[in-house]
Amino acid sequence: MGESSVNNADQLLDKGMENEALAIVKELLRKVSKEKEPKLYSSVKHQEGLCYNGLALISNKEDNLFKSIHAFKEALKIRTIENHPVDYAKTQNNLGNAYRGLSEVRNMEDNLTKSIHAFEEALKIYTLDKYPEKYRILKTNIDLAKKLLHS
């Protein structure tokens, strides 16, 4: 249980098995205490966000993206820049992707602005010198969101 289950869910996501991964995540959320196991809880919430983000590509885009955003925000209550900087950056990046996806469905300007903000938060950790590939991907994501915002 715990991290191994999170890894199993991650492997299922890699195979495009979002519903199966989400079932593992929901089971974990019934058993993991936010207070007693905050790091594990934040990993599970992050994984939940990834599951809903993946499901948004298949169906119920708006609803699943709302759930994804909520899960990422919950993870960020623990994954702070001070306590867990790399996890913070990873979650901010995924939050940015979820907001960009939501901008395709509703409130384009507002959600693109939130997307850019999340990507910029991730850049506080994913710097060019330490994480050049992640930095470049984030810069590309920001540029794309800005183009969409100003089109």
Side-chain angles (χ1 to χ4, degrees):
M1 201 65 181
E3 280 299 327
S4 65
S5 294
V6 172
N7 291 335
N8 289 342
D10 197 40
Q11 290 172 358
L12 290 170
L13 277 176
D14 287 343
K15 295 176 184 174
M17 301 172 72
E18 288 83 3
N19 284 312
E20 293 82 351
L22 186 59
I24 292 172
V25 166
K26 286 183 175 186
E27 180 65 24
L28 279 169
L29 286 172
R30 284 191 278 281
K31 297 177 179 180
V32 174
S33 167
K34 181 179 181 179
E35 292 73 29
K36 292 180 183 175
E37 301 174 281
K39 180 133 173 69
L40 178 58
Y41 177 83
S42 72
S43 293
V44 175
K45 290 305 285 185
H46 182 261
Q47 198 71 31
E48 181 183 34
L50 292 175
C51 290
Y52 282 120
N53 214 20
L55 287 170
L57 299 173
I58 301 166
S59 66
N60 301 321
K61 186 172 191 168
E62 185 175 0
D63 184 49
N64 282 320
L65 286 171
F66 275 124
K67 290 176 181 176
S68 176
I69 289 165
H70 177 74
F72 290 138
K73 286 182 174 181
E74 281 297 305
L76 286 168
K77 290 178 180 177
I78 296 163
R79 292 180 162 200
T80 64
I81 198 167
E82 299 82 15
N83 296 336
H84 306 286
V86 174
D87 289 339
Y88 173 84
K90 182 190 300 185
T91 304
Q92 285 288 356
N93 179 55
N94 287 312
L95 180 62
N97 286 327
Y99 273 123
R100 187 179 56 212
L102 189 59
S103 77
E104 297 170 5
V105 180
R106 64 178 311 166
N107 303 333
M108 182 180 201
E109 186 175 328
D110 183 48
N111 285 313
L112 284 172
T113 300
K114 290 176 181 176
S115 173
I116 292 165
H117 175 74
F119 290 141
E120 288 173 342
E121 282 296 306
L123 279 177
K124 291 178 179 177
I125 303 304
Y126 288 155
T127 59
L128 180 58
D129 59 321
K130 287 187 178 180
Y131 302 93
E133 187 172 329
K134 292 182 186 298
Y135 175 86
R136 288 185 189 95
I137 291 168
L138 278 165
K139 291 298 275 185
T140 300
N141 286 341
I142 290 168
D143 290 345
L144 174 63
K146 285 181 177 179
K147 283 180 188 172
L148 291 170
L149 188 58
H150 300 295
S151 62

